[in-house]
Structures are given as structure tokens and as C-alpha cells.
Amino acid sequence: MEQNQFDIKKVQVHRTSEAIIFETAFAIVAIIVWGIITWMLYRAPDIVPTHFDASGKPNAYGSPSGIIIPCIVLTIGAVVCMAIAYFPRHINMPFKITNIRQVELAIRFSRVMGITFLLIPLSVAYMMLGMSSPSPIPILVVIGLLLLEITFFSIVIYKAK
């Protein structure tokens, strides 16, 4: 057995210029997203669709303020993606991370995912508040983008053995 085995639990992540760039971009995107959500809330009618069936047709209606809590929860999920970059042992990959290059890529993946994840509350708000005939397409586009990121980074990180 090799004596110099890599232990991800011993990896410590420090702030770098890349981290600052990602965190600044995240803050800017979050401000823009929440500005648009707030604007949509103010111009929304008194009753909006609040739930959709599998085909994307509304099947429940309510107050526009009902969108705030799901958007906050989704934004917290994006913040967690950004924060987990500082704790790479908690980044879940479908394989074991065996070297520092894989750790670097997993950290970058977590940060890219956090920024993209911010688009989910925007697409949810747009679907509920921004359209006269709601469509699931904005949410499906963001989810498709997230799946592409997961696939791309999984392959790149795996190949960095």
C-alpha cells in the first residue's frame, strides 16, 4: 500500500483571486435576480398561479407573495453551493477524488453550479409572475444547463486522475 495516499479531509481551501471573482459574480447575479423578482412582484396581479401539473398547466392560484419563500429557499441552495467550495470533502461526486487537481476542479464546479443555481428562483418567479400564459420552459432550460454542467465537470474531474 502506498504511503502517500491522498486524503481530501486534510485539504484546506483559502480565498484566491478566482474565489473572489466567482463570489463577486455570484453577488452581482443575486442582486440582479432579486431585483427582477421584486420588480415582478410589484407588477403582478392580485392572483397568480402557484402550482403547476406535470404538463406545466396551472392548477392552483394564490397571492404573488407566495413566491417569496420558495425563491428564498432556492437562493439559500445557491449560497450553499458557493460555501461548500471551502469544504471540498463535502462535494458529492460519483467517484472518489484522488488528487489535488480533482479538488481544484470540484471547487470550480461548485462555484459555477452556485451561480447557475441562482437562475432557478428567477425562472420560477418568471413562470408564476411574469407571464400571462405560464410555461415550464424557463425552468427546464435552467435544469438542462445544470445537468450539462454536472455531466461536463464530472467527466473533466474524473479524467484529472
Side-chain angles (χ1 to χ4, degrees):
M1 187 151 157
E2 190 177 303
Q3 287 183 338
N4 295 331
Q5 285 190 335
F6 179 77
D7 186 4
I8 195 166
K9 292 177 183 173
K10 293 181 181 178
V11 174
Q12 293 184 349
V13 179
H14 303 283
R15 298 221 40 219
T16 62
S17 51
E18 179 181 309
I20 293 168
I21 291 168
F22 271 110
E23 290 162 7
T24 303
F26 180 86
I28 291 168
V29 172
I31 290 167
I32 292 169
V33 163
W34 275 95
I36 293 170
I37 290 171
T38 303
W39 175 75
M40 283 199 242
L41 277 168
Y42 280 113
R43 66 177 277 283
D46 292 339
I47 303 293
V48 296
T50 57
H51 192 269
F52 300 85
D53 63 16
S55 66
K57 292 185 175 45
N59 60 7
Y61 296 85
S63 168
S65 62
I67 188 68
I68 293 172
I69 291 179
C71 287
I72 288 171
V73 169
L74 290 165
T75 302
I76 290 169
V79 170
V80 168
C81 282
M82 292 299 287
I84 202 96
Y86 288 99
F87 307 97
R89 68 183 172 274
H90 296 295
I91 298 173
N92 191 8
M93 297 303 294
F95 48 83
K96 185 176 179 179
I97 293 179
T98 59
N99 64 56
I100 199 68
R101 179 69 181 140
Q102 287 180 314
V103 173
E104 292 169 354
L105 290 167
I107 289 168
R108 188 169 300 136
F109 166 54
S110 179
R111 290 178 173 144
V112 169
M113 189 105 162
I115 292 171
T116 307
F117 206 84
L118 277 176
L119 300 177
I120 295 176
L122 180 61
S123 61
V124 167
Y126 180 74
M127 185 172 161
M128 293 178 153
L129 305 174
M131 300 172 44
S132 56
S133 67
S135 167
I137 291 175
I139 293 173
L140 294 175
V141 167
V142 175
I143 290 172
L145 183 58
L146 287 168
L147 290 173
L148 283 173
E149 288 173 7
I150 291 167
T151 304
F152 172 78
F153 275 100
S154 292
I155 292 168
V156 169
I157 294 167
Y158 181 79
K159 287 185 172 184
K161 284 185 173 184

